[in-house]
C-alpha cells in the first residue's frame, strides 16, 4: 500500500505488526455509543451532546465533559478574549496562547522560550502540579499549543483537552472579566520534545526511510509549493517542503469540534503515512501552533517519541542564501496523504422539552 492509499477501514492492517497495538486496543475499547439521556422523547439535550463527545478507546489527553475526573482542575480557555469575556466555563482562566508561541534563538536554531512560557502560565495562576483542562471552540491548534507548552515545561499535573469544546460543556458558566491568581511556575524542561533546524539538517536524506519520520502538517498546496496558490506564505523566500517529508494536513485531526475518529487517525498515520509508532516522529508546519495538533494527536494515539520543529518552515525556508545548501527545500519528491477534516462546527444551541 502506498502512502496515498489512505483508507477508512482497518481490514488491511497487519495484526502481527508492533505499530498496530494502538489500533487493536482502540478497536477493542470502542463501544457502539452511549445511550441517550434526553429528558423527553425525541429531543436532543445538552446531556446528549456531552455524551456524544465522550472519547472512546485507548486515547490519551482527550476527554469529553462527562469524563473529567479532577474536581479541582484549572480550566484554561484558549479562545479569544472577546469570547472568553462573553461566556466561559465557570472559574476558567484565559489561556495566554499568543505568549506561548515565544521562541529563543540558539546556534542550532529556534526553540521555545522557556522563560516566556513559564511566566505566561504563572501569570494566570498555573503551577507545575496543577491538573489542567484546556478547551476552546473546538480541539483546534490553539488548544493543542497550550497542551504542548505545558508538556515542554515538564508539567507534573494531568493535562486534558476538552473534546467538543465549550459548546458541548454542560456545567456552570461565567461571564465578564476576571483577574486570575498568580503562581510561580518552575519549569523542568523536556528538551527531547523539540528538534532544531540543525538537528534536521544533519538527517536530511534519511527522513521516512532510515531515519526519523517527518510530517509536514500544512496544506498540500503549501507543501507542493504550488505556484500562484493562496496557501503560499509571501514571507517565505522559498517554497516547498523539507526533503523526504510526508504531507498530512493537520485539519484531518479534527472533526468539527471534536477529535477525529481515533481508529481512522491511527490508520491515517501508522498505515497510510507509514509512520513508525515506536520510532522518532518529527512534525512541522509554517509556524509553531498548527503542528501541535498533529503532535498531540500522535501522542494521544500512543506514538512514543513525537517531536516538534518549533522553528517551522518559516525558519527553514528563510535561511541566508549562502546556507541554503545545508537546508534544502524540494518540490519534486512528494508524498501527500489525503486527510479529510474540518475545524469548527455548527452552533446549534436550541434545546427545549416544550416542543
Amino acid at each position: 500500500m502506498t502512502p496515498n492509499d489512505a483508507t477508512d477501514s482497518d481490514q488491511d492492517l497487519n495484526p502481527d505488526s508492533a505499530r498496530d497495538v494502538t489500533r487493536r486496543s482502540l478497536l477493542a475499547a470502542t463501544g457502539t455509543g452511549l445511550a441517550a439521556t434526553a429528558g423527553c422523547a425525541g429531543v436532543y439535550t445538552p446531556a446528549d451532546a456531552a455524551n456524544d463527545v465522550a472519547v472512546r478507546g485507548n486515547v490519551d489527553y482527550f476527554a469529553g465533559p462527562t469524563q473529567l475526573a479532577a474536581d479541582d482542575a484549572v480550566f484554561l480557555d484558549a479562545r479569544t478574549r472577546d469570547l472568553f469575556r462573553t461566556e466561559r466555563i465557570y472559574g476558567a482562566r484565559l489561556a495566554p496562547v499568543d505568549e506561548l508561541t515565544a521562541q529563543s534563538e540558539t546556534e542550532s536554531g529556534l526553540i521555545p522560550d522557556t522563560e516566556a512560557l513559564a511566566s505566561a502560565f504563572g501569570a494566570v495562576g498555573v503551577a507545575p502540579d496543577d491538573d489542567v483542562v484546556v478547551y476552546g471552540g473546538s480541539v483546534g491548534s490553539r488548544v493543542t499549543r497550550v497542551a504542548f507548552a505545558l508538556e515542554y515545561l515538564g508539567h507534573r499535573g494531568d493535562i486534558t483537552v476538552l473534546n467538543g469544546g465549550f459548546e458541548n460543556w454542560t456545567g456552570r458558566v461565567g461571564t465578564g472579566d476576571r483577574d486570575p491568581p498568580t503562581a510561580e511556575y518552575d519549569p523542568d524542561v523536556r528538551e527531547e520534545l523539540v528538534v532544531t533546524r540543525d538537528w534536521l539538517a544533519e538527517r536530511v536524506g534519511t527522513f521516512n526511510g532510515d531515519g526519523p519520520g517527518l510530517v509536514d502538517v500544512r496544506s498540500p498546496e503549501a507543501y507542493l509549493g504550488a505556484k500562484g496558490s493562496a496557501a503560499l506564505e509571501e514571507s517565505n523566500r522559498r517554497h516547498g517542503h523539507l526533503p523526504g517529508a510526508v504531507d498530512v494536513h493537520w485539519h484531518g485531526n479534527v472533526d468539527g469540534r471534536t477529535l477525529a475518529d481515533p481508529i481512522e487517525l491511527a490508520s491515517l498515520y501508522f498505515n497510510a503515512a507509514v509512520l513508525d509508532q515506536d520510532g522518532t516522529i518529527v512534525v512541522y508546519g509554517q509556524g509553531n501552533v498548527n503542528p501541535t495538533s498533529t503532535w498531540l494527536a500522535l501522542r494521544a494515539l500512543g506514538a512514543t517519541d513525537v517531536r516538534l520543529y518549533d522553528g517551522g518552515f518559516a525558519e527553514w525556508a528563510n535561511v541566508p542564501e549562502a546556507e541554503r545548501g545545508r537546508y534544502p527545500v524540494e518540490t519534486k519528491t512528494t508524498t501527500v496523504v489525503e486527510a479529510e477534516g474540518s475545524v469548527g462546527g455548527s452552533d446549534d444551541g436550541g434545546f427545549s422539552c416544550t416542543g
Side-chain angles (χ1 to χ4, degrees), residues 255-313:
D255 182 8
R257 300 186 187 280
T258 66
L259 180 71
D261 181 87
I263 298 174
E264 294 181 5
L265 280 179
S267 181
L268 177 71
Y269 285 112
F270 305 133
N271 186 19
V274 201
L275 297 176
D276 184 356
Q277 183 177 333
D278 298 316
T280 299
I281 303 172
V282 177
V283 299
Y284 76 91
Q286 172 67 17
N288 63 5
V289 177
N290 290 346
T292 60
S293 171
T294 300
W295 180 89
L296 194 65
L298 286 168
R299 285 176 61 91
L301 294 173
T304 57
D305 182 12
V306 190
R307 310 183 188 189
L308 175 70
Y309 173 31
D310 204 70
F313 192 72

Side-chain angles (χ1 to χ4, degrees), residues 12 14 32 47 87 144 151 154-155 159 178 203 275 284 288:
D12 295 327
N14 178 1
T32 57
E87 193 174 44
T144 58
E151 286 284 18
H155 194 76
I159 304 168
R178 181 175 186 271
R203 292 163 176 78
L275 297 176
Y284 76 91
N288 63 5

Side-chain angles (χ1 to χ4, degrees), residues 2-355:
T2 67
N4 285 323
D5 292 331
T7 174
D8 292 333
S9 171
D10 220 38
Q11 60 186 2
D12 295 327
L13 301 179
N14 178 1
D16 296 323
S17 172
R19 71 176 58 164
D20 292 336
V21 171
T22 293
R23 288 194 292 277
R24 291 201 301 274
S25 60
L26 284 167
L27 283 166
T30 301
T32 57
L34 298 176
T37 57
C40 50
V43 176
Y44 190 74
T45 72
D48 296 322
N51 282 333
D52 283 348
V53 297
V55 178
R56 298 161 179 87
N58 184 22
V59 180
D60 291 331
Y61 292 102
F62 295 87
T66 61
Q67 297 172 309
L68 298 180
D71 294 332
D72 58 349
V74 175
F75 281 75
L76 291 179
D77 189 323
R79 300 174 302 160
T80 65
R81 181 175 295 274
D82 286 345
L83 289 173
F84 173 79
R85 293 180 61 187
T86 299
E87 193 174 44
R88 61 178 178 271
I89 291 177
Y90 184 81
R93 305 162 194 180
L94 183 63
V97 179
D98 292 341
E99 298 171 50
L100 300 179
T101 64
Q103 296 173 317
S104 295
E105 177 67 66
T106 72
E107 292 184 359
S108 298
L110 294 170
I111 61 173
D113 186 329
T114 301
E115 183 177 345
L117 269 59
S119 176
F121 282 122
V124 294
V126 177
D129 291 318
D130 288 336
D131 292 331
V132 176
V133 177
V134 190
Y135 72 92
S138 69
V139 292
S141 57
R142 288 175 62 90
V143 172
T144 58
R145 180 65 194 186
V146 177
F148 167 80
L150 287 167
E151 286 284 18
Y152 180 71
L153 293 178
H155 194 76
R156 295 187 291 271
D158 291 336
I159 304 168
T160 304
V161 169
L162 184 63
N163 202 41
F166 179 72
E167 291 298 323
N168 290 282
W169 176 250
T170 58
R172 298 174 66 190
V173 298
T175 60
D177 289 317
R178 181 175 186 271
D179 293 326
T182 59
E184 187 71 26
Y185 200 105
D186 185 18
D188 183 15
V189 177
R190 299 181 62 191
E191 295 179 353
E192 72 276 11
L193 296 184
V194 300
V195 302
T196 63
R197 178 190 62 217
D198 283 356
W199 188 96
L200 290 167
E202 292 169 0
R203 292 163 176 78
V204 167
T206 72
F207 299 125
N208 296 311
D210 297 331
L214 183 62
V215 182
D216 187 320
V217 310
R218 299 173 299 157
S219 69
E221 293 79 9
Y223 168 84
L224 296 169
K227 292 182 178 180
S229 171
L232 300 184
E233 291 287 339
E234 294 182 1
S235 60
N236 289 346
R237 298 193 187 107
R238 295 180 292 170
H239 299 289
H241 54 272
L242 274 65
V246 58
D247 181 63
V248 187
H249 194 198
W250 74 272
H251 279 191
N253 303 324
V254 186
D255 182 8
R257 300 186 187 280
T258 66
L259 180 71
D261 181 87
I263 298 174
E264 294 181 5
L265 280 179
S267 181
L268 177 71
Y269 285 112
F270 305 133
N271 186 19
V274 201
L275 297 176
D276 184 356
Q277 183 177 333
D278 298 316
T280 299
I281 303 172
V282 177
V283 299
Y284 76 91
Q286 172 67 17
N288 63 5
V289 177
N290 290 346
T292 60
S293 171
T294 300
W295 180 89
L296 194 65
L298 286 168
R299 285 176 61 91
L301 294 173
T304 57
D305 182 12
V306 190
R307 310 183 188 189
L308 175 70
Y309 173 31
D310 204 70
F313 192 72
E315 178 187 32
W316 187 274
N318 294 306
V319 296
E321 187 171 355
E323 299 179 20
R324 290 181 181 179
R326 177 167 169 77
Y327 310 104
V329 168
E330 71 174 7
T331 57
K332 292 183 179 179
T333 304
T334 59
T335 304
V336 176
V337 178
E338 295 183 7
E340 296 182 0
S342 63
V343 180
S346 61
D347 293 323
D348 184 2
F351 302 106
S352 173
C353 283
T354 62

